[in-house]
Every structure is written in C-alpha cells, then in structure tokens.
Amino acid sequence: MSELSAESGVPVATIKYYLREGLLHDGERVSKTRASYDAAHVGRLNLIRALIGVGGLGVQEAKAVLDEIDGPPESLHELIGSAYTRLPPVVAPAGAEPDRALELLRELGWDEAIQECTPDVAGLDRALRAVEAADLGLTRADLIAYGRAMEAVAGTEVAATPAASLTAAVRYVVLGTVLVEPVLLSLRRLAHVEESARLLGGGG
Amino acid sequence: MSELSAESGVPVATIKYYLREGLLHDGERVSKTRASYDAAHVGRLNLIRALIGVGGLGVQEAKAVLDEIDGPPESLHELIGSAYTRLPPVVAPAGAEPDRALELLRELGWDEAIQECTPDVAGLDRALRAVEAADLGLTRADLIAYGRAMEAVAGTEVAATPAASLTAAVRYVVLGTVLVEPVLLSLRRLAHVEESARLLGGGG
C-alpha cells in the first residue's frame, strides 16, 4: 500500500478511507498483512481525486458517481436520466413549482427534458428566480440564446458518445458532466476577458 | 428588524450576522433601540441570499463580491479582470505551469485572456488535466468547440452590458458570473436529456 501511495501521491490514510467506504476495490491479498495493487488501482485513485478535487464532489457523492459507472448499463438515454437523478444537482432545488423553468423549456421546445423532470429542472427554476430577484435585466431572448448555446454543446457531446460500448458511454456521460462543467465555466470567464477587450477596448 | 425579517424571510439572527460582517448596511437609527430599514435593505438581503444559496458562495466570498459591486467603478474591461481575480475561481488552481490551458487559449486566439492571466487560467488548466487523466477521449476539436460556444455566450453578454452606467455594468458582470453559471450548467444537463432522446431514441 505504501507503494500505491507513492505512485498515486495519495496518503496511505486516505487510501484506507476510500477502501473502507467502498470507493476503491480491495487489492489481491498476497499474505496476511500484504495486498497487491495494480495499475487499475492507480487509475481509480486518479479518478477519485479528480471527482473530489476538480469536480468538487464530497466523498459520498463521488461514491454515487462511481456506483453509476460500475453499475449495469442501461440505454444511453435512460442512463442520462438516471445519472442526473443521482448526481448532485447544479443547484439544490427549492420547494416552489418550477413554472419559470418549465416555461423556458417549453419555449426552447425541450419536451423530453420537461417529461423526465430530473432535479435539474427544479434547480434551473431556482437559478432563474435568483437572476430575476437580482434584477440583472436578462431578457427572454438572452435566456433562449443560453439554451441554444448549450444545445450546441450537448449535441456535439451526445454525438461524440462512444456508441460501441454502453460501459464506455456511461463513463463518458457521468464523468463528462462532472469534469467538463469546470472547463466550460472557466472558458466563459476567459471569453469575457477576451470579448470585453475586443468589443469595448481598454485592454493592454 | 423583526419587520425586515418578516418581509425578507431571513431570520433576525442571520440579519444581525450580516450587519456585523458588513454585508448589509446599518438601518437609520430612530431611537436608542430601534432602527428603520427600507426597500434597499430587503433588496440587499435578497441579493445576499441569492449569492449564498444559488451562487454557492461562502459569507466571506459573498462579501468580496458585494465589495466589488459597491466599490468605485473602473473601465468595464479592467472591471472584468479585477472581478475575476477577486471572485472564487471555478476550480482552485494547482501549482503546475498552466501550459495545457495556455495552449488551448492560443489555439482559440484569446490573446487578452493569456495576457491578463486571471486565476481562471490556472483553474482551466487543472480542469483540463482532470479530463485528460480520466481518459474521456475529448479531442482537441471538442475543446475548441467548447471555446467557440462560450465565446458566443460571452459575446452576447458583453454586448448586452449596460454601457450607460459603470455601476450598472459592475453589477451585471459580477452578478452575471455568479448567478448565471448555474443557469448554464442546468441547461446543459437538460439539453443532454433532450439531445439523447432526439439523436439516439429510447425516450418516453
């Protein structure tokens, strides 16, 4: 185990914790006090660290994501629905009827998203109410533009999903959600820096 | 203060805490034990709750955002740079040289973003490394497509920024970052549900 710790850079105590919580599978026992770990363990540890460190998940949330990846694969569409029901939603949903979100989804023509009604519909609703309360002056057209931009992103992603193997697809969808979200948000902020210099001047 | 609490739905103890920490300005003192609060206090409380509840900020982070909004306005471009230096970055930057991020930004042609080098460049780098380590199979073309989609989003947003008043612009940029991020991520997840039904079938 100390070798695994050295190779992965994860402290022994943390590895033991992940083993106990079932995030990492046991090594092959070679004697009463020694177990053997292989490249799969190193890969798994990297993945756990990425989910927690970059994805910002808690240990139990990371376990739910890993369970989803390890579980028996369903159809890709069912999989996306079930992943989004198990993953922590972007925003914790509030109690109110999500009518702001449903209205926007109807205008976008996203009937499937309305029908499945994952926790993200309620989360979107809460986020929209916050934008409204802050009086940001976002118009209906701005919100539709956001929807179309995300449709373009999701369209590319779904088309790129490996069709050959559902196991690969699960991995792609679930990890793609958690790990790609920070990429998109960082890019949006950097694009603001870029566009504000380009359109309004004042750079350099 | 109990009236302010009733109107805003925020407990008295929490209001006192915000006053003590300087997130909320004092009411106008009308007697030794009573102060008068107005609509501005209710609006400010809504804003604080939105930053903490929907934006996911801690109290001190919310204070930094509010300080940015209250501070003397600079040029819009400088403002965006300084806001992104003060706001908590999407991903906590790691120590490594951000060469993955810089390479992508160069390919996108985002020279201003490279030059300003806000903490989001290092955050993007860490997020890219996590995607790589998880072996998601995202191609260079996929990353460029993400960049272009976010460029479209940011372009609309910068163009919509109120030019008339810098104070309004500050408000728009800083709150737009914190409050719109959850809207975008929720929409991406819901677009996945939608697109997977449309392209791959299996819905209903």
Side-chain angles (χ1 to χ4, degrees), chain B residues 9-201:
Chain B
V10 179
V12 168
T14 309
I15 295 179
K16 284 187 179 165
Y17 177 54
Y18 293 157
L19 283 168
R20 217 160 46 230
E21 295 290 323
L23 279 79
L24 187 67
H25 52 291
D26 287 322
E28 203 182 327
R29 201 146 287 283
V30 290
S31 81
K32 221 165 171 180
T33 56
R34 287 177 60 88
S36 145
Y37 301 93
D38 58 18
H41 287 89
V42 177
R44 183 76 163 199
L45 275 176
N46 283 338
L47 185 52
I48 296 170
R49 300 307 282 180
L51 290 173
I52 293 174
V54 174
L57 301 189
V59 170
Q60 290 314 317
E61 293 169 337
K63 184 170 183 335
V65 169
L66 292 167
D67 285 346
E68 191 69 52
I69 294 179
D70 297 337
E74 303 153 88
S75 87
L76 183 64
H77 179 69
E78 278 175 276
L79 163 76
I80 289 180
S82 85
Y84 288 167
T85 305
R86 288 180 72 162
L87 281 176
V90 173
V91 181
E97 266 299 294
D99 38 304
R100 300 265 194 312
L102 291 174
E103 199 187 318
L104 178 58
L105 293 175
R106 260 193 300 272
E107 239 177 294
L108 287 164
W110 294 4
D111 298 325
E112 279 294 329
I114 292 172
Q115 201 186 313
E116 305 260 325
C117 207
T118 62
D120 288 305
V121 174
L124 172 63
D125 195 77
R126 191 168 168 214
L128 289 174
R129 282 169 202 272
V131 164
E132 215 171 272
D135 200 15
L136 275 187
L138 278 191
T139 64
R140 176 74 20 188
D142 294 331
L143 293 175
I144 296 287
Y146 284 146
R148 295 299 168 220
M150 290 301 108
E151 206 168 49
V153 165
T156 317
E157 289 173 329
V158 170
T161 301
S165 141
L166 268 174
T167 313
V170 181
R171 202 183 147 76
Y172 186 88
V173 167
V174 175
L175 295 183
T177 302
V178 176
L179 298 180
V180 170
E181 286 179 356
V183 172
L184 283 171
L185 294 187
S186 303
L187 283 172
R188 171 167 171 257
R189 290 191 182 190
L190 295 167
H192 279 154
V193 171
E194 194 62 29
E195 292 292 310
S196 68
R198 199 173 291 169
L199 293 182
L200 304 163

Side-chain angles (χ1 to χ4, degrees), chain A residues 150 153 180-188, chain B residues 146 150 185 188:
Chain A
M150 291 300 108
V153 164
V180 171
E181 287 179 356
V183 172
L184 283 171
L185 294 187
S186 303
L187 283 172
R188 170 166 170 259
Chain B
Y146 284 146
M150 290 301 108
L185 294 187
R188 171 167 171 257

Side-chain angles (χ1 to χ4, degrees), chain A:
Chain A
M1 188 178 293
S2 56
E3 281 165 42
L4 177 60
S5 169
E7 196 165 340
S8 63
V10 179
V12 168
T14 309
I15 296 179
K16 282 187 179 164
Y17 177 55
Y18 293 158
L19 283 168
R20 217 159 49 227
E21 295 290 323
L23 279 79
L24 187 67
H25 53 292
D26 287 322
E28 205 184 327
R29 200 146 286 283
V30 290
S31 82
K32 226 170 166 174
T33 55
R34 287 177 60 87
S36 144
Y37 300 93
D38 58 18
H41 287 88
V42 177
R44 183 75 164 199
L45 275 177
N46 283 338
L47 185 52
I48 296 170
R49 300 306 283 183
L51 290 172
I52 293 173
V54 175
L57 301 188
V59 170
Q60 290 315 315
E61 292 169 337
K63 184 171 184 331
V65 169
L66 292 167
D67 285 347
E68 191 70 51
I69 294 179
D70 297 336
E74 303 154 87
S75 87
L76 182 64
H77 180 69
E78 279 176 274
L79 161 75
I80 289 178
S82 84
Y84 286 165
T85 305
R86 287 181 71 165
L87 281 176
V90 174
V91 182
E97 266 300 295
D99 38 304
R100 299 266 193 311
L102 290 174
E103 199 188 317
L104 177 59
L105 294 175
R106 261 192 302 271
E107 239 177 293
L108 286 164
W110 294 4
D111 299 327
E112 281 293 329
I114 292 172
Q115 202 184 313
E116 306 259 325
C117 208
T118 61
D120 287 305
V121 174
L124 173 62
D125 194 76
R126 193 170 166 210
L128 289 174
R129 281 170 203 273
V131 165
E132 218 171 90
D135 199 14
L136 275 186
L138 277 190
T139 63
R140 177 72 23 186
D142 294 331
L143 293 174
I144 297 285
Y146 284 146
R148 296 298 170 224
M150 291 300 108
E151 207 169 49
V153 164
T156 318
E157 289 173 330
V158 170
T161 301
S165 141
L166 267 175
T167 313
V170 181
R171 203 182 145 76
Y172 185 88
V173 168
V174 174
L175 294 183
T177 301
V178 176
L179 297 180
V180 171
E181 287 179 356
V183 172
L184 283 171
L185 294 187
S186 303
L187 283 172
R188 170 166 170 259
R189 290 191 182 190
L190 295 168
H192 279 154
V193 173
E194 194 62 28
E195 292 292 311
S196 69
R198 200 172 292 168
L199 292 183
L200 303 164

